[in-house]
Amino acid sequence: MTDEIIFHHYPTSPFSEKVRLAFGMKGLKWRAVVQPSIMPKPHLTALTGGYRKIPVMQIGADIYCDTQIILSEIERRVSDPPIMQGGMGQAIGFWADRVFFQASVPLIFGALGDKVDPAFRKDREALSGRPFDVAQMKAAVPIMREQWRAHVGFIDSALQSGGGWIGNGPGIEDIHAHMNVWFVANFVADEAARLLPEFPRVQDWYARMNAIGHGTPTPMTPEEAVEIAKASTPHDAEHEDGHEPNGLKPGQAVTVMADDYGRDPIKGTLVASSAHRISIARNDPAVGDVVVHFPRAGFWVLPG
Ligand SMILES: N[C@@H](CCC(=O)N[C@@H](CS)C(=O)NCC(=O)O)C(=O)O
């Protein structure tokens, strides 16, 4: 029961689509908790300690924030079939999540223009710390269209080496590369219809990726997810990393925050750390004792 994968997401979230595809590649059963796409998200932030982004994976009282750590945890728990065989899979995620994503966002919201809900705009201004300027995004569409095309061109080059997948088989490289194509194709289909036909190999790969599906989700309410955390005990044991560059040690109070947007600080006590992961313990009356796991790349860890 406590090993059940609980996935906090919403259907239109492109970052969630990465993980849903990983569930599909591994044929997994999972529980789907739909969270709001704007604040407040009281059940989610009680579990995470303030991290508000989507998706979040929960297994009992262990909470995994960010697709980087979620994908590696899925691979660690369910190794068959493997989806992380290539060495640079996670690094490709940085390309997809940052520079490629930054070309997709104005392409989408520039096209949607005034149809974007004012409450959503306000929320995204708070998330990014910048104005959600639809006119500016609209003006940027021609430039971003060229950028987006060039990034799809990278996918096409990767597919040229044969095999039909970016890495050795369907895997994490494909999952990361797929995200922005899916995002644009789902929100501004005419833009995808304009740009993708130049790349028939990408179109073919995109259709095969979509056919992988999402495994088998069954719904769960946010309230139920919180109750499961409360009734469970986190699994991670304390582990001191002798290579911590700044000497962080288990038992120390730390604050973890994303380095890009949604930089809400999450406070806790260090349980374990490595080059790839930091795990912090926290207690909240609503959820009891939980351990929250973050990646290291793309997150800052501050003492105190
Ligand atoms: N680095 C994060 C990025 C996640 C992210 O930006 N998610 C978007 C949704 S796809 C988000 O949280 N937007 C704000 C929100 O949904 O409240 C990851 O890889 O999980």
Side-chain angles (χ1 to χ4, degrees), residues 15 20 32 59 67 119 137 172-173 211 217 219 222 246 281:
F15 283 87
R20 293 186 295 245
I59 299 181
T67 54
M137 287 197 260
I172 189 169
E173 296 86 355
N246 296 311

Side-chain angles (χ1 to χ4, degrees), residues 115-126:
K115 280 182 252 151
V116 182
D117 179 2
F120 180 88
R121 274 192 221 190
K122 215 165 156 234
D123 180 86
R124 292 308 190 258
E125 289 186 343

Side-chain angles (χ1 to χ4, degrees), residues 68-69 241 244-245 248 273-278 294-301:
Q68 194 191 137
I69 205 79
D241 172 13
E244 266 303 333
L248 291 174
S273 63
S274 71
H276 304 296
R277 175 193 292 226
I278 180 147
F294 298 93
R296 294 304 285 271
F299 282 78
W300 289 357
V301 181

Side-chain angles (χ1 to χ4, degrees), residues 18-19 22 67-75 84 172 176:
K18 291 190 193 187
V19 180
T67 54
Q68 194 191 137
I69 205 79
I70 295 173
L71 291 168
S72 23
E73 184 62 17
I74 293 171
E75 181 77 349
M84 288 178 70
I172 189 169
H176 289 311

